[in-house]
Amino acid sequence: FGFVTFANPQSVDMVMADLQQQFIDNRLIDVKPAVPKDQMPAQAPEMAKIFVGALTQNVTSGMLRDYFSHFGQVVEAVVVVDRQTSRSRGFGFVRFSRSEELHVALSHPTHALDNKK
């Protein structure tokens, strides 16, 4: 991870407004504004992002998005790939628009992608 410090707070607003897909070295990055510790809320909001493991080499980010969109609006679905080989590392992440959608997905006892549970 890393941090970028802007001289002008409006620059942060401009970057955050254009968050569709940000890439560095062809890797999708997750951009979030930094909040000073003294300004953090007492309780952080519930995340709507899940880790998905044990993926076959055939599972793509699109397949991950398609599958989990049955449970709610998927904001982001990424299969993590090795930078040198471009092969799947066998896991990924799915981010839903709301935590309730995440809970619907997690309420199912098993999931199967590419015929693997």
Side-chain angles (χ1 to χ4, degrees), residues 29 41 72 76 84 96 110 116:
I29 60 171
E76 175 184 39
Q84 270 87 29
F96 292 94
T110 59
K116 183 176 180 188

Side-chain angles (χ1 to χ4, degrees), residues 9 33-45:
V35 179
K37 285 185 181 182
D38 63 341
Q39 294 178 15
M40 290 184 73
Q43 187 174 26

